[in-house]
Amino acid sequence: MNPDDIYSPLYADLDYYIDHLDEQDAMYEKINALPQKIQDVIYGGSDTIQKMKNVCNQFSLTQTQVKILSILTRKILIAEVFIGNLIPELQKQLDLPESKARGLADALTSELFAPAITELKELHAKTFGNQQSKPTSNVVNLRTSKSTN
């Protein structure tokens, strides 16, 4: 395994797929059915890896966090995880505070997802419908909350 593979949405968990070839084949089928611009991000090679490296270095992520982020990025690109839940997913999976997760989500969107953002939004609208993103805090808006009394 190449040390840069952890930055690749395609190869970050290559070690897993060595023993799960059917799952790998299914993933590639899913990727190959995606719009070309999304495929370009996933198959982007050194360009995608460099963008991921830049984002990961900017947020001082550990090697473990980088690998998790690369896999999460792929799951968003192939619509297994709703992009609207990116911030809470980053908080949970990378154990980040909300502010850092929000900054990381913004950086991913502008650096990595930007070339395919229209296609990604369309894919997620088709896959997830009108799903709303999960709230990122437990603050209750008292102006809209109804009393149960």
Side-chain angles (χ1 to χ4, degrees):
M1 187 168 171
N2 180 332
D4 282 349
D5 284 351
I6 64 168
Y7 296 97
S8 169
L10 194 58
Y11 299 126
D13 51 354
L14 188 61
D15 52 343
Y16 170 81
Y17 284 114
I18 289 172
D19 295 325
H20 300 89
L21 295 177
D22 289 343
E23 290 178 50
Q24 183 180 32
D25 290 345
M27 177 187 66
Y28 278 109
E29 282 182 32
K30 201 176 234 187
I31 292 169
N32 291 332
L34 294 170
Q36 188 62 49
K37 287 186 178 183
I38 296 174
Q39 287 185 45
D40 290 347
V41 174
I42 296 170
Y43 291 128
S46 60
D47 185 49
T48 296
I49 288 171
Q50 191 57 54
K51 288 176 181 180
M52 284 293 288
K53 272 186 178 181
N54 293 344
V55 169
C56 292
N57 290 338
Q58 179 184 349
F59 289 89
S60 304
L61 299 182
T62 66
Q63 295 277 305
T64 301
Q65 288 173 317
V66 169
K67 185 174 181 176
I68 293 167
L69 178 62
S70 294
I71 295 166
L72 177 60
T73 299
R74 180 186 67 232
K75 288 181 176 186
I76 288 170
L77 288 165
I78 65 175
E80 287 181 358
V81 173
F82 179 49
I83 194 168
N85 292 338
L86 181 55
I87 294 168
E89 288 291 336
L90 291 170
Q91 285 180 271
K92 180 177 74 174
Q93 292 191 36
L94 275 59
D95 193 27
L96 298 176
E98 181 184 352
S99 60
K100 190 170 183 178
R102 187 174 302 283
L104 181 54
D106 290 345
L108 280 174
T109 301
S110 63
E111 293 293 321
L112 197 66
F113 298 149
I117 198 68
T118 300
E119 292 79 3
L120 195 56
K121 286 179 180 179
E122 289 170 0
L123 175 65
H124 280 244
K126 189 168 92 175
T127 305
F128 299 104
N130 291 328
Q131 181 175 337
Q132 297 294 312
S133 59
K134 294 177 187 170
T136 56
S137 71
N138 60 358
V139 176
V140 176
N141 183 344
L142 296 175
R143 291 184 202 146
T144 60
S145 295
K146 296 191 179 195
S147 174
T148 56
N149 296 2

